[in-house]
Amino acid sequence: MKIDKIHQLFLQCHSACTDTRTIVKNAMFFALKGPNFNGNAYAESAIKNGAAYAIIDDKTYNTSPQTILVKDVLETLQALATFHRTYLNIPIIALTGSNGKTTTKELINAVLSRKYNTSATLGNLNNHIGVPLTLLSMDKNTEIGIVEMGANHLKEIAFLCTIAKPDYGYITNFGKAHLEGFGSVEGVILGKSEMYSHLIKNNKTIFINANDSIQIKRTIKANTFSFGNTHSSSNIKIDFISALPYVKCLYNNKEIHSQLIGDYNFNNIAAAIAIGNYFKVDDTSIKTAIENYTPTNNRSQIILKGTNQIILDAYNANPTSMQAALLNLEKQSGSKTAILGDMFELGAGAATEHQRIIDLATSLNIDRLIFIGENFNRSKIDSKKAMKFKSFIDFKKYFDPSLMNDTTFLVKGSRGMALERIIALFNVA
Ligand code: ATP
Ligand code: MG
């Protein structure tokens, strides 16, 4: 079946879905295949659970008038999203970067939704499946779309841009993340800059942080709208006031008091203010939107347990965000403990990067350091204030939060380390 025909059927459905457990009535189900599953086998149950159609690519499952057999389900999902994006004909803002994409996306969405009917990536659905699903979640009522794009290798962002065809783009930063696939920070810069190339080629607009020299250098030939701390170098001026305990900034004579911690969140907030300004959201609405936003999902959340304060940043970690989080912890007052878990996907650089974090952490004004994971455990630690554990289970045997009071904890590690499990240990105390 041709893609325009599938699109006509899709418009009669309420949504696109790839998981029978979350299927909603009248959805179009895409029977994707993975290393451990074959979605085709679920087509029948998807229809039983209310799906209007199931897109499949294995003819043995073509058993119902509601199944649509195609050559490749993933390619069809991507082609349908591309077709739908053109049909929508709305401004799309794309976001990528090594750190802070989801936070910035949510802040931008909070700001723009004060004036527009927006639709943004749900959670972290930012890859070759998530981006198509995000686009398919938008409809003719959507006035602005905000799409997060993630990548762990070259050409990925270029590919996602051919699907989402963004009119605007913002790269949060170029850091040490997914080095396994990108090879080096230069690889990260090249990979993320694929978004700039797409926007420049199509004469679109790039939002830039005028204080970031890489962003400036890579957008010399582009239409840009910039934010920074001076009027002379940027379109709008946003000043950093403080990050203690939460990020505060000044924009158009208004102080904005966010509920986000860490200097690094200043750039994320500033980007959202700048984009709000560009789309003519009034200053009071921008301020209210930023001030009301609270992070979720273990991203720089503050949790109070008795007299202890936990900065729960266990959602993910890489060398850049680990460094930013440690520098932020150092600035806190009182007793400080960092509990850090391994950083994944660092390829051949894993040993060096873990050692660097240990060396940085031990040099900072932090009272106690706990390193968990096989990589940290293999590293050299030469400091009385530090301990290392091979696994979370080993750490758990040792850790007794009832002995700790009036302390600020930073809890951070890669997703696979699931360090949010530490919160339950505090509950027992
Ligand atoms: P993912 O690659 O998993 O999608 P992401 O880029 O969407 O991550 P967020 O989920 O917004 O990033 O933030 C994850 C963590 O990255 C935060 O909790 C914080 O530790 C760190 N972080 C956020 N913004 C920045 C930034 N601008 N610079 C450095 N680190 C940041
Ligand atoms: Mg994300």
Side-chain angles (χ1 to χ4, degrees):
M1 191 182 285
K2 286 242 178 69
I3 213 71
D4 56 337
K5 279 269 153 44
I6 298 181
H7 188 249
Q8 273 173 17
L9 298 177
F10 172 72
L11 292 180
Q12 296 161 21
C13 300
H14 290 147
S15 63
C17 178
T18 59
D19 187 335
T20 46
R21 288 165 299 185
T22 55
I23 211 135
V24 291
K25 204 160 168 37
N26 215 12
M28 182 172 267
F29 172 73
F30 290 85
L32 295 174
K33 285 197 199 83
N36 305 312
F37 64 92
N38 177 2
N40 284 276
Y42 297 95
E44 201 179 306
S45 85
I47 291 166
K48 245 193 228 136
N49 290 335
Y53 300 99
I55 310 290
I56 57 166
D57 51 15
D58 182 339
K59 61 178 183 313
T60 45
Y61 296 95
N62 198 10
T63 51
S64 141
Q66 287 161 273
T67 47
I68 298 170
L69 183 66
V70 296
K71 202 166 122 248
D72 184 288
V73 171
L74 176 61
E75 280 174 16
T76 302
L77 173 69
Q78 292 164 341
L80 181 68
T82 311
F83 192 95
H84 188 61
R85 191 271 171 266
T86 305
Y87 160 85
L88 288 170
N89 195 22
I90 53 166
I92 297 266
I93 304 169
L95 285 166
T96 189
S98 303
N99 311 100
K101 298 179 289 296
T102 298
T103 310
T104 308
K105 173 212 68 184
E106 288 181 9
L107 286 165
I108 295 170
N109 192 30
V111 168
L112 294 183
S113 63
R114 297 255 150 191
K115 183 174 163 106
Y116 302 95
N117 196 0
T118 59
S119 180
T121 300
L122 271 186
N124 205 32
L125 280 176
N126 65 15
N127 66 6
H128 61 295
I129 297 168
V131 168
L133 288 175
T134 298
L135 292 164
L136 292 173
S137 72
M138 299 175 189
D139 61 25
K140 281 287 187 188
N141 294 319
T142 309
E143 292 171 300
I144 301 181
I146 306 154
V147 179
E148 174 175 337
M149 296 182 178
N152 52 20
H153 56 260
L154 289 175
K155 307 263 169 68
E156 211 171 348
I157 294 295
F159 176 65
L160 297 177
C161 284
T162 63
I163 299 178
K165 300 186 193 67
D167 303 285
Y168 303 91
Y170 177 63
I171 299 182
T172 55
N173 70 348
F174 301 92
K176 290 181 178 175
H178 302 296
L179 293 183
E180 200 165 74
F182 284 118
S184 60
V185 176
E186 288 67 41
V188 172
I189 296 173
L190 275 180
K192 305 289 175 194
S193 300
E194 290 166 10
M195 179 185 284
Y196 287 160
S197 309
H198 184 95
L199 293 163
I200 293 170
K201 196 171 89 203
N202 294 289
N203 206 17
K204 305 291 188 185
T205 298
I206 301 174
F207 296 108
I208 57 168
N209 175 354
N211 299 330
D212 183 327
S213 58
I214 309 176
Q215 298 197 18
I216 299 276
K217 217 160 102 196
R218 294 247 151 202
T219 55
I220 288 168
K221 293 195 191 114
N223 305 323
T224 58
F225 185 82
S226 60
F227 61 91
N229 53 11
T230 62
H231 271 305
S232 56
S233 66
S234 50
N235 294 90
I236 67 161
K237 181 171 176 317
I238 304 166
D239 287 303
F240 176 76
I241 301 176
S242 149
L244 284 175
Y246 298 105
V247 177
K248 248 189 252 165
C249 59
L250 186 71
Y251 158 67
N252 272 354
N253 298 321
K254 275 191 165 51
E255 275 198 16
I256 300 186
H257 295 208
S258 80
Q259 300 187 57
L260 293 167
I261 57 157
D263 291 6
Y264 51 86
N265 267 317
F266 168 66
N267 285 337
N268 303 340
I269 292 168
I273 295 173
I275 293 172
N277 173 295
Y278 181 92
F279 284 98
K280 302 200 167 24
V281 179
D282 67 84
D283 293 354
T284 309
S285 300
I286 291 179
K287 176 177 157 71
T288 316
I290 305 273
E291 293 190 340
N292 285 343
Y293 175 74
T294 51
T296 52
N297 199 12
N298 310 329
R299 280 188 187 89
S300 305
Q301 281 179 280
I302 301 268
I303 295 178
L304 297 176
K305 290 282 175 193
T307 60
N308 296 311
Q309 164 175 272
I310 304 164
I311 301 174
L312 182 62
D313 206 358
Y315 170 71
N316 68 8
N318 52 53
T320 304
S321 67
M322 203 66 130
Q323 176 173 330
L326 281 166
L327 295 176
N328 178 55
L329 177 66
E330 189 191 31
K331 287 191 194 143
Q332 307 297 316
S333 52
S335 173
K336 289 158 265 185
T337 296
I339 306 180
L340 307 181
D342 272 2
M343 302 170 288
F344 296 166
E345 283 194 65
L346 291 174
T352 319
E353 296 297 345
H354 282 84
Q355 193 61 53
R356 251 189 220 147
I357 290 296
I358 288 174
D359 296 345
L360 169 72
T362 47
S363 74
L364 296 176
N365 176 21
I366 297 174
D367 305 283
R368 229 167 331 180
L369 298 163
I370 296 172
F371 297 98
I372 309 171
E374 294 187 3
N375 278 299
F376 275 132
N377 196 49
R378 273 195 289 269
S379 309
K380 227 176 71 229
I381 304 184
D382 190 14
S383 164
K384 284 205 179 77
K385 60 183 183 182
M387 295 186 77
K388 59 180 182 176
F389 298 92
K390 197 171 172 198
S391 67
F392 187 80
I393 296 177
D394 291 350
F395 159 76
K396 205 172 140 183
K397 284 185 211 143
Y398 150 83
F399 189 61
D400 183 357
S402 68
L403 303 176
M404 299 177 195
N405 296 302
D406 302 309
T407 299
T408 298
F409 289 86
L410 166 69
V411 176
K412 187 166 179 69
S414 269
R415 185 82 299 275
M417 295 300 295
L419 286 193
E420 63 277 11
R421 289 177 287 174
I422 286 172
I423 301 301
L425 305 183
F426 277 92
N427 291 345
V428 176

